[in-house]
Amino acid sequence: MSEAVQAFTVGSVECRVLADGVMTYEPGSLYAGLPPEEIGPAVRPLVNDQGLVPVPYHPLLVHAPAGLALIDTGAGLALAEESGEPVGRLPQALAAAGVAVEDIALVLLSHAHPDHIGGLTTVDGAGRRLVFPRARHVICRAEYQYWTSGQIPADYAWMSEVARQHLIPVEQAGLLDLVEGEKEVAPGIGVIPAPGHTPGHMAIWLTSGSQHAIFLADAVLGETNFTHPDWTSAFDTDRAQAARTRRHLLDAAVRDTAIVAGYHLWGPGMAERHAGAYYWNPLR
Ligand SMILES: [Zn+2]
């Protein structure tokens, strides 16, 4: 699937999928609570020799009229070292695209899971520093409050620790913008509440001229979620809501013929409605 298209345009706005790397997951965590025989036919073509599903981490770079915007920041080096998996490579992907981290004017954070915010800060001899020191960073207020509240379920405690490590320095630098509701955060770039995966999960809507694109973030965790929109994961904090949000966003994408991108999709594409579910057409 590495031949997926990695660049597309929305009106006059160029967008580029950036490769942070690939992590492998147990099928039962991505499609939780379902018997193996039910998910088998969809999952069997995806798994590697170890029976795990490779899942890409794909931040999106947007050449927006007001400056360069980056949606999500990759896993970062700490998670890469801990997992031993080939992730945390966003800085190299940005450099390969000819972009310096200082050139990023806007960082949009879909939510605060480690694979999306781990690239926000880094630690060197001088301590922890921001990777995107000149950017305004946008996250949903509910998401920030959830992960920094100190009232996280025990299972998520480590993720809360990671969220605090990365988000609080951005907040202390005066660069964190907490947003609520549906909002245009820069010309042609809007955020849409998309709860379920996490309480303050957001999708990003791009508009240029009469054309649209939507970055679904983790409202889908892979192409399988188009044909099986009601399969939810062990990572969704509210699984019923996650499925409702997914259908809502995909219906909007179909209605407006928006290009669809997602953090865990191999590349951009178009969605169609098909027999109570969706059909996925990768861009070619
Ligand atoms: Zn994710």
Side-chain angles (χ1 to χ4, degrees), residues 111 113 115-116 197 218 221 263-264:
H111 64 299
H113 273 161
D115 51 324
H116 298 253
H197 183 63
D218 285 13
L221 291 182
Y263 194 75
H264 299 299

